[in-house]
Amino acid sequence: MIKDHKLILITGLTLLTSAGFAQQLKLTPDVKQAMDAVSADKIKADITYLADDKLKGRGPGTEGYQMAVDYVVGQLKAVNVKPAGEGGTWLQKVRLRKATPQDAQLAINNQPAAKGSFVFFPNPAVAQINLTAGLAFAGYGISEPGLGYDDYAGLDVKGKVVIVMRGAPEKFPSSVMAHVMSTDNILKVAANHGAAGVFIALPGPNSRVPDLSRGSYSVLGDKGEVVVSSTYNKQIQVLAVINAAVLNPLMQQTGKDIRQITDQLKAGTPGSFAIDSKVTLSYTSTYQDILSYNVIGKIEGTDAKLKNEYVIHSAHLDHLGIGKPVEGDSIYNGAHDNASGTASVLGIAKIYSQIKVKPKRSILFVLMTGEEMGDLGSGYFAKHPTVPVKSLVADVNTDMPTIIAPLLSITALGAEHSSLANQVDQAAGYLGLEVQPDPEPKQVRFVRSDQYSFVLAGIPALHVKYGTKTADGKNNLNDFVATWRAKYYHKPQDDINGIFDFEAGKKYAQLNFLIGYLVAQDPARPTWNKGDIFEVK
């Protein structure tokens, strides 16, 4: 938040700030009237269509997903948004590869590991993997000397398989914690230190390895190379998950107590060590390639120079398709996740279309595929945008805003890392919303949606979610959401017949519009905070 007492003039806006108080923002009648163009009824209508059974859960590469693509293109055309995809179209091709592991074999010192004690993530680039290597325990697999923590300090892992546990020191801020413990970051750090493989350990006595029988997904480039994946690094031959049945004998061999190590790591003291053992493994990956699409539209800015820069309003269009039946229903409609976010972006496009004098910077509306597969559509767009990559200045993402109660407070995941926090404070203050810290840091939501793809590409980004305030003053909205999530999240029950507050959906759209609009009007590009973990060096 801006701390001085100056009167700051922005074209079309007047902003009065005062230390310790919400910033008071005055919009021009044109912008204020345009914000009223988004309606709760239209958001409901968009969600109703996108979550209809006939779209069969909007799985990428399916007829239902194509129906969703056609719908959002039609809605963007209706509000005079122009196409900004490949070759003057609305679309960007996203070539998805589904890889499935088979014939997995694992032995430690020639002793086969028990079935169900491990699982290999498939390799999307090399179909057959055979590896014999040494082992090392690398704590959380984090190397952040700038934060005073390095699991790899003094540890030689070249050519070895490193065993790591998911987590981070408790002293780390929630979004930093979420970033450093993400799988792609763990793989990147291991590769930088010369490791050949990564085993993620589940130390709990009753821990079960994930079921990867349905495969994992990556994005292929034009030449068939893997260009986006959250579970693959070309320098790492194997990524696996192991449970206590594999981990405990190795700990006993080295005389280590996993509970003591866990406490030590949480307290912020690394506890890495070499393991005098050999691992032998092999597995095969089979492939199925799928063609899907991102939808991209634009509104051109008015400033002669700044119109060549872009503010992105994004949401993922896909969901889980048809899956395992729950209570007799197998269509995962994804009404909240993320028909609601898509409806919000369509509402934002409607607002921009009603503004007579467009903002200085241009606006991109990006509806992305493959989020449920690991932020794949956004990862591809962030690395291979349909506009010059250096022209992207910020991303305001909307994913499952959870419109189940009045919106009274928010948390802006990721905004604390950049100057975008200023625009969040301004926009929230105008709409009477309190900005709060993340009420659910253990959900690691910062890395669980498309904004993270832009962050990794060096582009300041954020994702607005609900805060804790409730109309009855109990301020326990996160408890209500937790109960709701248990019943609806990633289940067929997430359809239009669930719990909705469409007025909250309207306010979300207005808020995200205003954040993006303020960025588009500001002559200065958003910047990472000095010394921040995401600062582009």
Side-chain angles (χ1 to χ4, degrees):
M1 183 179 291
I2 299 173
K3 297 294 184 180
D4 60 19
H5 300 268
K6 299 177 181 178
L7 184 66
I8 302 174
L9 297 179
I10 303 174
T11 302
L13 308 171
T14 304
L15 173 64
L16 181 64
T17 71
S18 179
F21 295 91
Q23 298 168 350
Q24 298 174 0
L25 184 65
K26 292 185 178 180
L27 302 177
T28 64
D30 179 34
V31 174
K32 188 175 184 301
Q33 183 176 356
M35 286 180 66
D36 290 333
V38 62
S39 73
D41 287 343
K42 182 60 167 62
I43 286 175
K44 179 180 180 180
D46 289 336
I47 296 173
T48 299
Y49 179 85
L50 292 169
D52 193 281
D53 277 358
K54 65 186 178 183
L55 274 68
K56 298 180 180 178
R58 306 189 307 280
T62 67
E63 180 182 0
Y65 184 79
Q66 187 60 48
M67 292 174 67
V69 167
D70 294 341
Y71 180 80
V72 297
V73 168
Q75 296 299 305
L76 292 172
K77 285 181 177 179
V79 293
N80 299 315
V81 175
K82 303 302 180 185
E86 296 170 335
T89 72
W90 289 93
L91 306 179
Q92 179 185 42
K93 293 180 181 178
V94 183
R95 300 167 181 84
L96 301 169
R97 166 161 287 180
K98 177 183 177 181
T100 307
Q102 293 183 350
D103 304 324
Q105 304 291 328
L106 172 66
I108 308 292
N109 296 329
N110 297 319
Q111 295 296 314
K115 183 179 180 180
S117 65
F118 69 95
V119 65
F120 294 139
F121 281 85
N123 189 310
V126 182
Q128 179 64 45
I129 295 292
N130 297 281
L131 176 66
T132 298
L135 287 166
F137 180 76
Y140 290 134
I142 296 170
S143 182
E144 292 292 342
L147 297 176
Y149 188 90
D150 189 353
D151 282 312
Y152 285 90
L155 184 68
D156 180 10
V157 301
K158 291 181 180 178
K160 296 182 179 180
V161 172
V162 294
I163 299 174
V164 303
M165 296 193 301
R166 289 293 295 274
E170 292 180 339
K171 64 182 179 180
F172 283 11
S174 62
S175 58
V176 171
M177 184 182 298
H179 167 65
V180 297
M181 65 185 284
S182 65
T183 303
D184 55 331
N185 190 68
I186 289 172
L187 290 173
K188 177 182 176 181
V189 173
N192 289 343
H193 287 84
V198 173
F199 285 1
I200 297 175
L202 306 177
N206 300 315
S207 295
R208 306 176 71 176
V209 300
D211 180 6
L212 297 180
S213 61
R214 297 187 66 183
S216 64
Y217 293 83
S218 304
V219 180
L220 302 181
D222 293 336
K223 299 179 181 179
E225 75 283 18
V226 178
V227 293
V228 182
S229 175
S230 60
T231 59
Y232 167 78
N233 184 296
K234 65 181 180 180
Q235 294 173 250
I236 300 295
Q237 295 185 57
V238 58
L239 170 65
V241 178
I242 60 173
N243 69 13
V246 177
L247 177 67
N248 288 348
L250 292 170
M251 295 296 102
Q252 291 167 5
Q253 172 192 324
T254 57
K256 303 292 185 180
D257 186 322
I258 193 65
R259 290 170 296 183
Q260 291 180 356
I261 292 173
T262 300
D263 291 342
Q264 177 180 332
L265 295 173
K266 286 181 179 179
T269 301
S272 305
F273 49 86
I275 300 174
D276 186 18
S277 291
K278 290 284 185 181
V279 59
T280 302
L281 62 89
S282 65
Y283 66 103
T284 302
S285 300
T286 59
Y287 306 136
Q288 177 188 357
D289 293 343
I290 303 164
L291 181 62
S292 192
Y293 300 95
N294 291 332
V295 178
I296 308 159
K298 72 175 180 180
I299 288 179
E300 189 172 274
T302 54
D303 183 88
K305 181 178 179 181
L306 294 180
K307 71 179 181 180
N308 297 315
E309 297 179 351
Y310 296 86
V311 177
I312 304 161
H313 287 282
S314 63
H316 75 89
L317 184 57
D318 67 305
H319 195 54
L320 298 172
I322 297 176
K324 182 179 179 181
V326 178
E327 298 178 8
D329 190 354
S330 61
I331 298 177
Y332 288 66
N333 304 81
H336 280 280
D337 187 15
N338 187 38
S340 66
T342 299
S344 183
V345 170
L346 295 177
I348 292 168
K350 174 72 172 179
I351 296 173
Y352 277 108
S353 74
Q354 298 296 302
I355 299 174
K356 295 177 182 178
V357 180
K358 305 306 181 191
K360 294 177 181 179
R361 287 189 175 87
S362 295
I363 306 298
L364 285 183
F365 305 101
V366 186
L367 290 311
M368 296 167 294
T369 188
E371 190 273 349
E372 300 290 4
M373 300 169 171
D375 301 343
L376 297 182
S378 60
Y380 187 69
F381 180 83
K383 292 180 179 180
H384 304 278
T386 55
V387 297
V389 64
K390 292 185 178 179
S391 68
L392 302 179
V393 304
D395 171 58
V396 180
N397 188 48
T398 309
D399 183 6
M400 202 175 79
T402 318
I403 49 174
I404 60 176
L407 184 62
L408 304 177
S409 62
I410 63 162
T411 182
L413 303 172
E416 71 272 22
H417 295 283
S418 73
S419 61
L420 291 177
N422 295 328
Q423 283 86 11
V424 170
D425 285 346
Q426 295 165 28
Y430 176 80
L431 291 171
L433 299 169
E434 180 181 341
V435 181
Q436 300 176 328
D438 184 3
E440 297 180 306
K442 292 184 179 180
Q443 291 288 328
V444 292
R445 298 181 298 179
F446 175 58
V447 303
R448 289 176 55 192
S449 189
D450 293 311
Q451 72 282 343
Y452 189 52
S453 294
F454 294 97
V455 169
L456 293 178
I459 301 162
L462 59 86
H463 175 200
V464 173
K465 296 289 278 186
Y466 50 84
T468 61
K469 290 187 72 173
T470 55
D472 61 10
K474 293 182 179 180
N475 298 332
N476 59 350
L477 180 59
N478 53 313
D479 293 335
F480 178 42
V481 171
T483 301
W484 172 89
R485 187 187 295 123
K487 181 176 180 180
Y488 293 98
Y489 178 64
H490 278 193
K491 292 183 174 66
Q493 286 65 42
D494 180 17
D495 60 21
I496 196 61
N497 299 308
I499 303 170
F500 285 92
D501 185 321
F502 296 107
E503 286 295 330
K506 173 182 176 179
K507 186 167 282 191
Y508 262 109
Q510 291 175 327
L511 173 67
N512 283 332
F513 155 76
L514 195 48
I515 293 169
Y517 181 77
L518 290 169
V519 175
Q521 286 288 78
D522 192 338
R525 287 177 71 129
T527 57
W528 297 107
N529 297 336
K530 186 173 178 59
D532 190 84
I533 191 171
F534 299 117
E535 183 181 16
V536 179
K537 303 296 192 294

